[in-house]
Amino acid sequence: MPAARSIGLLAAGGTISVVPSTSGAREHSGADALAPTASALPDGIDVHPRDVLRRSSRAMGLDDLWTLAEAVRAEIAAGRDGVVVTHGTDTLEETAYALALLVETTAPVVVTGAMRAPHLAGPDGPANVRAALVAAAQPALAAYGPVVVFADEVHVARLVTKAHSTRVAAFASPAAGPVGSVVEDRLELLLGPPPVPDRLPRTAAPARRVTIVPAATGVDGALVDAVAAELDGVVVAALGGGHVSPALGESLVRIAGSGRPVVVTSRCPDGALLSRTYGGAGSEIELREAGLHFAPYLTPPKARLRLAFGLSAAIPADELFPAGP
Ligand code: ASP
């Protein structure tokens, strides 16, 4: 019989681990409570639980992402065949993407969670953990970078997003769909790994401040101008293919001109950023010519992580976001 696959199970909190208390406050159980009992483990898997954090994902900071990345690296360095991270769903996609930036996945890394807490009817945590363990035990998954396994689907970190606020099937990859699924305790990969690696060429603990500025009808640069001096960089959640109001564009061009990187993403959940379709004030052509960077297919929160961790490791913004559509 082949040796069992040794999988690290790292707990970081979230609904999957919530324990109701009499005071009404929510507490989080640790990794031991999340690991399936021996009789409920999929065949050929040994699970090694470890607590890393116990909190709601809304309370995660960039330092916590660094802590988690170090914990995942340590598991891989210790010779685990795969790693599963359990996490709150609200910012789960950001943690998966931060791991894609920070961790060399020589072994599969899978992030999962639950929409229904353990004490509610039909909790989805145990099924998600089981599917995540099955996926993490398959060496072929390492080439995809960190993935999210949720409701039996496998999503790559770059594309996945929480697309529904309450349903059990909460996650989607709007640009391309899931890359695979878990069926009958079997990982079925349907698409290949992402063509562009997300991992940063070097990493450092987070030490740079980046914020997200939303574009909307009639929004000018007053908000971003008020805080620009405190920031190391700005990400704009632009309209459509990469546009902002003329007034917001003026502020962003000024900030970029002062040497602080400004990165354009789209507030649309799907679709490319343009490069040569619209001209004039606030257009993608103007913003590109003024030296703003563009981050196609990255949501604003993920572009913020890339800029913040990249700048922290002294990687210039034009290397983080190479020119091109
Ligand atoms: N509020 C929770 C969190 O993100 C939601 C969840 O885990 O589903 O920690």
Side-chain angles (χ1 to χ4, degrees):
M1 215 166 80
R5 313 284 295 166
S6 151
I7 310 295
L9 178 68
L10 305 184
T15 289
I16 192 168
S17 61
V18 151
V19 186
S21 75
T22 41
S23 68
R26 296 282 196 239
E27 284 165 11
H28 297 279
S29 62
D32 281 337
L34 295 171
T37 55
S39 60
L41 262 180
D43 285 345
I45 292 179
D46 272 347
V47 65
H48 301 267
R50 177 179 158 197
D51 288 347
V52 183
L53 299 162
R54 291 191 188 202
R55 60 187 59 179
S56 290
S57 71
R58 67 173 182 274
M60 291 277 173
L62 267 55
D63 286 344
D64 297 315
L65 300 182
W66 180 256
T67 299
L68 256 179
E70 289 199 306
V72 172
R73 286 189 195 123
E75 292 291 311
I76 295 174
R80 297 278 179 245
D81 295 307
V83 182
V84 170
V85 177
T86 58
H87 194 284
T89 61
D90 286 349
T91 63
L92 188 146
E93 70 216 55
E94 287 179 65
T95 294
Y97 187 66
L99 296 177
L101 294 171
L102 301 174
V103 176
E104 186 180 5
T105 53
T106 48
V109 175
V110 178
V111 188
T112 194
M115 293 298 287
R116 294 189 190 138
H119 57 282
L120 299 180
D124 51 330
N128 284 342
V129 169
R130 186 179 178 103
L133 290 170
V134 166
Q138 292 306 318
L141 199 59
Y144 291 70
V147 298
V148 170
V149 169
F150 214 97
D152 293 339
E153 291 182 335
V154 184
H155 297 268
V156 294
R158 164 169 277 258
L159 300 180
V160 69
T161 194
K162 186 174 182 178
H164 198 283
S165 58
T166 58
R167 283 188 197 143
V168 165
F171 286 85
S173 295
V179 294
S181 52
V182 177
V183 186
E184 296 177 333
D185 284 346
R186 200 172 60 245
L187 173 66
E188 305 236 333
L189 289 168
L190 305 170
L191 300 173
V196 185
D198 292 297
R199 205 163 77 86
L200 298 175
R202 55 185 178 275
T203 63
R208 293 289 180 272
R209 197 151 176 217
V210 175
T211 200
I212 300 169
V213 178
T217 304
V219 165
D220 61 17
L223 185 66
V224 66
D225 284 339
V227 294
E230 312 289 320
L231 300 172
D232 299 297
V234 172
V235 170
V236 55
L239 312 169
H243 312 132
V244 296
S245 71
L248 178 55
E250 217 179 289
S251 293
L252 295 174
V253 167
R254 198 176 329 112
I255 293 166
S258 74
R260 267 158 302 175
V262 179
V263 176
V264 177
T265 62
S266 177
R267 70 178 197 174
C268 296
D270 189 6
L273 292 174
L274 300 174
S275 57
R276 53 186 174 85
T277 302
Y278 295 96
S283 68
E284 88 273 3
I285 292 178
E286 185 208 54
L287 300 179
R288 284 180 189 268
E289 283 178 356
L292 276 68
H293 306 277
F294 277 58
Y297 297 104
L298 277 186
T299 59
K302 290 181 192 170
R304 170 177 169 264
L305 291 175
R306 187 167 186 83
L307 186 57
F309 278 111
L311 293 178
S312 301
I315 303 169
D318 53 1
E319 280 176 38
L320 295 167
F321 303 99

